Structures are given as C-alpha cells and as structure tokens.
Amino acid sequence: MNLLWFYVAIVLAISDVLHTTLMWKVFNNFYILLGGLIDQTTHSTWQTWVIHEIMEAAFHFIILSIVFLSPTVGILAALIHFVIDVTHTVFIRDMGVLEHRALHFVVESLFFIMLFGF
C-alpha cells in the first residue's frame, strides 16, 4: 500500500504542533492582539473563533503544500484539519491534549487512507 497517507498525517500532526508552538510561545503577544482586533471587528466570539480556525487551516495549507510540493495535498490537509477542529469543538467540549492529537491523527489518517491508500 502506498504510504503517502501516513506521511501526510505525520506532517499534518507536526504542522499542528508547529502552529501551536509558534503562535502560543513565539508570537504570543501578537496573536493575542490579533485576536482582540478580530474580535472587535466581528463583535462575535464564534466568528472570531471561526476566523482563527480558517487562519490555522491556511497555515497548514502552506506548510503541507511546501513539504509535498502539491497544493492539492495542502488544501485537503487544511480542509480535513479544519473540519475536525470545528466538529470536535462543537460536539466534544472537554478534551485533553493527548486525546486531541489522537483524534486528529486517527481521523486524518483514515481520510488520507481513503484518498491515497486504495
């Protein structure tokens, strides 16, 4: 079986950790200010959250498009990551870091297995 599905899921997981590290540890003050500006512009917490998720998806799109030299892989990875984030935030309120990473990896792996594995 082609292992592209596995590589994409691994790089997407690394991209998610990279995004978290960059935004919350390196650019923390900027990210908080940007969130405040977006919140003042939208006047809605849920719209601010959706914009944050869209920006995160754009980050994953850029990283995976560069790593795999394929905008198609980038858009698919960003889309599935966005859908999982929105779904689990709406339906599963309390989730630890390990559960969050495991959920993403399992669902993203299954998604890419269906695309690239068969």
Side-chain angles (χ1 to χ4, degrees):
M1 180 190 317
N2 188 353
L3 288 178
L4 181 59
W5 66 268
F6 180 72
Y7 300 135
V8 173
I10 290 291
V11 172
L12 188 51
I14 292 168
S15 177
D16 201 23
V17 171
L18 180 63
H19 176 266
T20 300
T21 302
L22 283 175
M23 294 305 134
W24 293 114
K25 293 185 178 154
V26 176
F27 299 117
N28 186 27
N29 291 333
F30 168 75
Y31 207 54
I32 290 170
L33 289 173
L34 179 62
L37 289 171
I38 293 169
D39 188 54
Q40 284 183 345
T41 304
T42 62
H43 302 293
S44 169
T45 303
W46 73 269
Q47 286 178 339
T48 302
W49 169 70
V50 169
I51 290 169
H52 157 77
E53 293 299 340
I54 290 169
M55 289 172 27
E56 183 179 349
F59 178 86
H60 296 311
F61 165 74
I62 292 167
I63 297 296
L64 272 87
S65 293
I66 292 170
V67 169
F68 291 100
L69 300 174
S70 171
T72 304
V73 170
I75 195 76
L76 289 171
L79 181 65
I80 190 64
H81 191 86
F82 176 81
V83 168
I84 295 167
D85 267 348
V86 169
T87 302
H88 84 67
T89 302
V90 170
F91 293 112
I92 306 171
R93 294 284 178 189
D94 296 320
M95 184 180 291
V97 174
L98 184 59
E99 293 91 351
H100 176 248
R101 298 280 181 223
L103 173 72
H104 273 275
F105 189 76
V106 168
V107 175
E108 289 161 359
S109 292
L110 290 172
F111 176 77
F112 287 111
I113 284 171
M114 288 188 298
L115 286 177
F116 303 128
F118 294 119

